[in-house]
Amino acid sequence: MLKIVLPSAVSRNFRAYRSLDFRPLAKLNTIAHDFGIVVNLWQFGEHYSACLLKLSSGWRIVLNLDEPETRRTFSLAHELGHYFLHRHHNETYFACSPGVDQGREREANLYAARLLMPSRVMVPLAEAGMDVDAIADLLKLSKHAVQIRLEMMGLK
């Protein structure tokens, strides 16, 4: 029987596994390594931000070297979301491109947002009056990702 796992439950359990106590994750490479996932950088140009590959040698996440570190951080969390939520499907890769299941993309985005910006972190920051720029700088994430997360939570 297939067990359905919601993105919030997965990311919450994942943070507990790493003993990170809901703090923002800056070193996702360590987490990927713990699960045997190799992370590489590659120049994709403007076509892709990242992809998750299932190879005969194991799983690999490839991040776009041409993107800023803040974007690569979210992309890595997004691809980890695909790994934890969707790896049981038969696809050999997950990438943001036309024809990709947009439902799975939304789930991976939600996973990444909750992993990097959990409500236990975001609510106090917003209530303290910090703006998007300040939160993005503090968490080392893009302003765009922080803005979307605050809107999703009804905080902006």
Side-chain angles (χ1 to χ4, degrees):
M1 183 165 119
L2 180 64
K3 182 178 177 184
I4 304 295
V5 181
L6 299 175
S8 61
V10 172
S11 59
R12 185 171 46 251
N13 291 338
F14 196 63
R15 284 190 302 272
Y17 162 78
R18 294 293 305 157
S19 301
L20 294 170
D21 192 35
F22 296 93
R23 287 174 288 195
L25 302 176
K27 302 294 180 189
L28 296 172
N29 283 309
T30 302
I31 294 167
H33 180 267
D34 287 352
F35 285 88
I37 303 167
V38 176
V39 178
N40 295 117
L41 297 174
W42 190 261
Q43 289 184 307
F44 287 127
E46 298 177 10
H47 301 291
Y48 296 100
S49 291
C51 64
L52 172 67
L53 303 166
K54 182 180 180 183
L55 306 172
S56 60
S57 60
W59 289 92
R60 181 175 306 249
I61 293 174
V62 184
L63 302 173
N64 190 342
L65 180 63
D66 295 327
E67 293 190 332
E69 186 175 331
T70 55
R71 175 67 181 145
R72 289 195 311 258
T73 299
F74 191 88
S75 295
L76 181 50
H78 173 98
E79 297 306 327
L80 286 170
H82 279 307
Y83 175 80
F84 289 109
L85 299 170
H86 306 134
R87 72 178 183 271
H88 61 279
H89 296 283
N90 291 326
E91 291 88 350
T92 56
Y93 71 93
F94 297 94
C96 298
S97 63
V100 172
D101 182 334
Q102 293 304 307
R104 289 187 194 162
E105 289 303 307
R106 281 191 298 275
E107 289 174 349
N109 278 337
L110 182 58
Y111 177 92
R114 288 179 172 170
L115 183 65
L116 295 168
M117 300 171 278
S119 59
R120 288 183 58 180
V121 170
M122 297 301 285
V123 170
L125 296 177
E127 287 177 349
M130 291 182 73
D131 64 9
V132 171
D133 291 350
I135 295 171
D137 288 344
L138 177 69
L139 301 182
K140 298 184 178 9
L141 296 170
S142 72
K143 294 170 187 161
H144 181 72
V146 170
Q147 179 68 42
I148 290 172
R149 180 65 172 146
L150 289 170
E151 289 172 2
M152 284 172 44
M153 296 175 67
L155 298 172
K156 290 278 177 191

